[in-house]
Amino acid sequence: MPQRLDSRDPGFAAAFAALVDARRDSDADVSADVAAIIADVRARGDAAVAELTARFDALDLDAAGWEIPLAELDAAVAGLTPDLRAALDLAATRIRDFHLRQRPTDNDATDAAGVRTGVRWSAVEAAGLYVPGGRAAYPSSVLMNAIPAVVAGVERLVMVTPTPGGTANPLVLAAARLAGVTRVFRIGGAQAVAALALGTGRVPRVDVITGPGNAWVAEAKRQLYGIVGIDMIAGPSEVVIVSDGGSNPDWIAADLLAQAEHDPVAQSILLTTSAAEADAVAAAVARQLETLPTAKVARQSWDDFGVIVTLPDLDAALPLLDALAAEHVELMIDDPQALFTRMRHAGSVFLGRHTPEAAGDYLAGPNHVLPTGRRARFASGLSVVDFMKRTTFLDCGPQGLAAIGPAGAAIADVEGLAAHAASIRLRLEANLP
Amino acid sequence: MPQRLDSRDPGFAAAFAALVDARRDSDADVSADVAAIIADVRARGDAAVAELTARFDALDLDAAGWEIPLAELDAAVAGLTPDLRAALDLAATRIRDFHLRQRPTDNDATDAAGVRTGVRWSAVEAAGLYVPGGRAAYPSSVLMNAIPAVVAGVERLVMVTPTPGGTANPLVLAAARLAGVTRVFRIGGAQAVAALALGTGRVPRVDVITGPGNAWVAEAKRQLYGIVGIDMIAGPSEVVIVSDGGSNPDWIAADLLAQAEHDPVAQSILLTTSAAEADAVAAAVARQLETLPTAKVARQSWDDFGVIVTLPDLDAALPLLDALAAEHVELMIDDPQALFTRMRHAGSVFLGRHTPEAAGDYLAGPNHVLPTGRRARFASGLSVVDFMKRTTFLDCGPQGLAAIGPAGAAIADVEGLAAHAASIRLRLEANLP
């Protein structure tokens, strides 16, 4: 059964603090295993990748082919039903349109002192997309990771995905092709991340690696951070739904279960100002679980990590929302904009009763790769800028250097950096009238 | 003696590739030591911080006081000479003005389908600034780290700096006060990073930690990445200067030495189209080293890591610049803008013969915290957005959901996520006319 809390109860503060601090991430320490895999790939390249793939995925890469041929990607697209092809096209178009609005603008200005400064953005050359095998191999995830890279202007998109037995998910391949991926390697795990980060004979080195994965993949990204860019470390997914007693309990229940069906350690939380609604939602969840095809996973998540909190009013939701800093927040209330304006920390917010998180997961436009586990306090969802970088620039000219150089040299003096000071003063002296 | 290369020599490609791949970062593996320190701070909080500070900095925190009183910061400001005070004020103002231009804009639009989507930016609540002790305790570094946080809107800025013997650098304290820092703890090393990331009784938890540090500090930031946000892992600093034979050899030499004097493993590279200039610069460096107060460090860097490359023309510089992806690039040529437009990877570019990197280090405006060691391929300098995060939002409304919901449910179906599909279809059915 999910946890039930009332914010007016004397023990609430302590119970809620425990909820905020609870970690649902795996505590398995795979760092030594991953370090050994990275060292092996660094030392032996393709031979290490082939051996590790044989061991973990029972796949002979040289026999199966390291890459999935483009023809297989094209065949996957051709094999889509017309309805699904239209749905994926709509999703790709909408995700592209949203991310086009995120492209940053350059900045170039000359100030009163005559000093020109600015920022110029450019794309990274190559990006690697990790796509898990098994349960979490989702075409929507391919679109959400690949399209921002394409919009950023990345020239080379390389996908890796484990294919135990050699067979890839055709929906994943179709989505990859629709998103603009042209190379897909049949590799996964920490060895695939290491191959992308370091480059091997067969696997090209990339500049940024994104995409979800298991504990080994996440740890490999963390260890290789700095050699490549990575997206945020992702933990188990979560949703917080705020309702005011005026929502359809079945809609709330379905939204809570949509989160819960992802993962036994996903978390679904309802904050409601109505005790009657709290009861009705709990009953609706139980009822829907009876027939839900994904009930096994969803029930475990709901029983272990589900929470229903009853509040006196919507103002009471505000500190809870900011403390939870949740990946997804649904505001199923009369004036969602008013509460959204006042809240501060969330990965993505879904406004109003007619905005199920699932719409955002698939095709509304905003990215579904979002910070989890309270990381929205400081982190953001995946975006175009994760595949770009800024170069700043400066042009003093003789006039600008005359204006600001003396102060710069004075600071260099007290920092004891004599050549810094000299590099400014030699020019100032030469430019004396 | 620095390495001398000519791009027309048969062995150049191999020699240059070795230069690009060479790592100047320390290979000391401190990961186990750092993991133990983090675990200790997590388990024992203040007691661990106090013990580690006594051990590594020979400082009794309880006797000396954990924090440096604000009065001491004020006294440091009052103790500045008028010239230095004016120089630091000019630097702070210019850095602030530049970073104000970097503040991101929100985005909010409703499309033809009736779906409202957007992005809202907000600042993190608290940031921690690491300031090293010893040689690298620079007031300019305090300004460059603290001012972007203040411009972002961060409410609480906490600085940590080791003070072996209890004495802090008054210039660092003055810069901290001018930049808006109000709390400074006398702690350093991995234990200070852990205290900021996890929070202890005395040290408040922050959301983002920035600032340079030694191998232990860098490793602590890497291990705690994901619990807090961090800036890019920084390696030894570097400059690449491009000249066309028309620059003053003494200016080039001073700029090369300004880089070299930072660190024995800093790297200064000259790319010149003139063999005569190459010789003249080498001679000028040798001459300047005879009297340079920082000659010991600068000479070691120049002898061990300095490189002079002779090129047939400026076009030949372009692939070398992109391969090096250097932290700092100076274009001391007639038309620097033309080359800048064509190059792609660099942390910060200094245009023209009158723009010494030192002007950018101190007060031109752009940040001096920049990606090193080829990381400019994918990483950017410190900016206002490193202290902010994005929340995306979505409002479908009945009309928007009617337009895009069916396609979303179709994708949910093939992903096998039944509750996702149900959360959309329940609403679509209820909204049927």
Side-chain angles (χ1 to χ4, degrees):
Chain A
M1 290 299 296
Q3 191 177 2
R4 293 285 288 261
L5 300 172
D6 188 308
S7 71
R8 285 151 292 197
D9 285 347
F12 177 74
F16 186 76
L19 175 65
V20 169
D21 288 339
R23 290 177 65 257
R24 290 168 292 122
D25 301 80
S26 163
D27 276 326
D29 185 358
V30 298
S31 60
D33 289 354
V34 168
I37 289 171
I38 292 172
D40 194 17
V41 172
R42 194 191 294 271
R44 298 195 300 130
D46 286 332
V49 173
E51 275 182 34
L52 292 160
T53 301
R55 187 189 316 164
F56 294 122
D57 298 340
L59 181 71
D60 180 341
L61 279 172
D62 290 324
W66 284 61
E67 291 188 58
I68 297 175
L70 203 56
E72 195 173 330
L73 274 59
D74 288 332
V77 173
L80 295 171
T81 64
D83 278 2
L84 190 56
R85 170 65 193 264
L88 290 174
D89 279 340
L90 180 65
T93 299
R94 293 189 58 87
I95 295 166
R96 191 173 296 118
D97 287 349
F98 180 85
H99 286 81
L100 278 167
R101 285 158 51 198
Q102 287 192 322
R103 282 195 302 188
T105 48
D106 294 349
N107 178 322
D108 187 342
T110 301
D111 62 28
V115 178
R116 178 181 167 218
T117 56
V119 172
R120 190 179 74 184
W121 286 89
S122 56
V124 303
E125 293 185 17
L129 308 183
Y130 192 93
V131 178
R135 189 175 67 199
Y138 295 135
S140 59
S141 179
V142 174
L143 298 182
M144 290 289 184
N145 277 277
I147 290 174
V150 173
V151 169
V154 174
E155 290 101 327
R156 300 189 302 281
L157 266 177
V158 182
M159 192 170 112
V160 294
T161 190
T163 60
T167 309
N169 180 333
L171 293 171
V172 163
L173 298 186
R177 186 70 170 124
L178 292 176
V181 174
T182 52
R183 301 189 69 180
V184 181
F185 285 82
R186 298 183 209 269
I187 57 177
Q191 60 274 20
V193 178
L196 287 172
L198 304 170
T200 66
R202 289 180 180 269
V203 183
R205 191 182 77 168
V206 302
D207 301 304
V208 173
I209 301 174
T210 70
N214 61 19
W216 280 261
V217 170
E219 177 62 20
K221 285 164 71 178
R222 186 199 305 274
Q223 289 189 18
L224 290 161
Y225 171 64
I227 294 178
V228 285
I230 63 169
D231 55 351
M232 178 50 48
I233 306 291
S237 194
E238 71 234 358
V239 70
V240 177
I241 300 177
V242 181
S243 184
D244 54 8
S247 305
N248 184 323
D250 270 319
W251 299 5
I252 297 177
D255 294 3
L256 293 168
L257 289 171
Q259 192 60 53
E261 72 182 342
H262 270 297
D263 191 330
V265 292
Q267 182 164 51
S268 303
I269 298 175
L270 170 64
L271 310 180
T272 174
T273 55
S274 157
E277 186 176 69
D279 292 338
V281 169
V285 168
R287 200 167 54 241
Q288 291 183 23
L289 276 171
E290 287 171 21
T291 57
L292 188 69
T294 56
K296 184 160 183 289
V297 169
R299 187 189 306 275
Q300 191 180 338
S301 160
W302 180 241
D303 284 351
D304 290 354
F305 298 106
V307 186
I308 298 178
V309 182
T310 314
L311 306 169
D313 51 44
L314 288 175
D315 279 354
L318 209 54
L320 308 188
L321 288 170
D322 279 338
L324 288 166
E327 181 186 15
H328 307 103
V329 174
E330 292 188 6
L331 302 179
M332 295 180 65
I333 57 180
D334 277 340
D335 187 355
Q337 185 63 35
L339 190 57
F340 177 49
T341 300
R342 293 168 67 206
M343 61 182 286
R344 182 156 172 182
H345 305 309
S348 196
V349 177
F350 302 80
L351 300 160
R353 305 188 214 275
H354 296 273
T355 309
E357 185 210 307
D361 286 346
Y362 290 121
L363 80 175
N367 210 287
H368 78 195
V369 180
L370 293 165
T372 60
R374 324 295 173 246
R375 295 183 182 89
R377 288 185 295 112
F378 58 85
S380 308
L382 191 67
S383 93
V384 169
V385 297
D386 290 306
F387 299 96
M388 303 184 77
K389 69 272 184 343
R390 290 179 303 273
T391 298
T392 51
F393 57 88
L394 171 64
D395 187 347
C396 290
Q399 181 200 339
L401 194 64
I404 69 171
I411 302 175
D413 285 341
V414 297
E415 291 193 351
L417 294 173
H420 281 64
S423 72
I424 295 173
R425 292 205 175 102
L426 281 173
R427 289 166 167 94
L428 292 176
E429 288 156 11
N431 293 336
L432 285 179
Chain B
M1 291 300 296
Q3 191 178 3
R4 292 285 289 260
L5 300 171
D6 187 309
S7 72
R8 285 151 293 196
D9 285 347
F12 177 74
F16 187 76
L19 176 64
V20 169
D21 288 340
R23 290 177 65 256
R24 289 168 293 122
D25 300 82
S26 163
D27 276 327
D29 185 358
V30 297
S31 59
D33 289 353
V34 168
I37 289 171
I38 293 172
D40 194 17
V41 172
R42 195 191 294 271
R44 299 194 301 131
D46 287 331
V49 173
E51 275 182 33
L52 291 160
T53 301
R55 188 190 316 164
F56 294 123
D57 298 340
L59 181 71
D60 180 340
L61 280 172
D62 290 324
W66 284 61
E67 292 188 58
I68 296 175
L70 202 56
E72 194 174 332
L73 275 59
D74 288 332
V77 173
L80 295 170
T81 65
D83 277 2
L84 190 57
R85 170 65 193 264
L88 290 175
D89 278 340
L90 180 65
T93 300
R94 293 190 60 87
I95 295 165
R96 190 174 297 118
D97 287 349
F98 180 84
H99 287 80
L100 278 167
R101 284 158 53 198
Q102 287 192 322
R103 284 194 300 189
T105 48
D106 293 350
N107 178 323
D108 187 342
T110 301
D111 62 27
V115 178
R116 177 181 167 218
T117 56
V119 172
R120 189 180 74 183
W121 287 89
S122 57
V124 304
E125 293 186 16
L129 309 183
Y130 192 93
V131 178
R135 191 174 65 200
Y138 296 135
S140 59
S141 179
V142 174
L143 298 182
M144 290 290 183
N145 278 276
I147 290 174
V150 173
V151 170
V154 175
E155 290 100 327
R156 299 190 303 281
L157 266 178
V158 181
M159 192 170 113
V160 294
T161 190
T163 62
T167 310
N169 180 333
L171 294 171
V172 162
L173 298 187
R177 187 67 171 124
L178 293 176
V181 174
T182 51
R183 301 189 70 181
V184 181
F185 284 83
R186 299 182 208 269
I187 57 176
Q191 61 275 18
V193 177
L196 287 171
L198 304 170
T200 65
R202 289 180 181 268
V203 184
R205 191 181 79 169
V206 301
D207 302 303
V208 173
I209 301 175
T210 70
N214 62 20
W216 280 261
V217 170
E219 177 63 19
K221 284 163 71 178
R222 187 198 305 274
Q223 290 188 18
L224 289 161
Y225 171 64
I227 293 178
V228 284
I230 63 170
D231 55 352
M232 176 50 49
I233 305 291
S237 193
E238 71 235 356
V239 69
V240 177
I241 300 177
V242 181
S243 184
D244 54 9
S247 305
N248 184 322
D250 270 319
W251 299 5
I252 297 177
D255 294 3
L256 293 168
L257 289 172
Q259 192 62 51
E261 72 181 342
H262 270 298
D263 192 330
V265 293
Q267 183 163 51
S268 303
I269 299 175
L270 170 64
L271 310 180
T272 174
T273 55
S274 159
E277 187 175 67
D279 292 339
V281 169
V285 168
R287 201 166 52 240
Q288 291 184 22
L289 276 172
E290 287 172 20
T291 56
L292 188 68
T294 56
K296 184 161 183 289
V297 169
R299 187 189 306 277
Q300 190 180 339
S301 160
W302 180 242
D303 284 350
D304 290 354
F305 298 106
V307 186
I308 297 178
V309 183
T310 314
L311 306 169
D313 51 45
L314 288 176
D315 279 355
L318 210 53
L320 308 188
L321 288 170
D322 279 339
L324 288 167
E327 182 186 14
H328 307 103
V329 175
E330 292 188 5
L331 301 180
M332 294 179 67
I333 57 180
D334 276 341
D335 187 356
Q337 185 62 37
L339 190 58
F340 177 50
T341 301
R342 295 168 66 206
M343 62 182 285
R344 183 156 172 182
H345 305 310
S348 195
V349 177
F350 302 80
L351 300 162
R353 303 188 214 274
H354 296 272
T355 310
E357 184 210 309
D361 286 345
Y362 290 122
L363 80 177
N367 209 287
H368 79 194
V369 180
L370 294 164
T372 59
R374 324 295 171 245
R375 294 183 182 89
R377 288 184 293 112
F378 58 85
S380 308
L382 191 67
S383 93
V384 170
V385 297
D386 290 306
F387 300 96
M388 302 184 78
K389 68 270 186 341
R390 291 180 302 272
T391 298
T392 51
F393 57 88
L394 170 64
D395 186 347
C396 290
Q399 180 200 340
L401 194 65
I404 69 171
I411 302 175
D413 285 342
V414 297
E415 291 193 352
L417 294 172
H420 280 65
S423 72
I424 295 173
R425 291 203 177 102
L426 281 173
R427 289 167 167 92
L428 292 175
E429 287 156 13
N431 293 337
L432 284 178

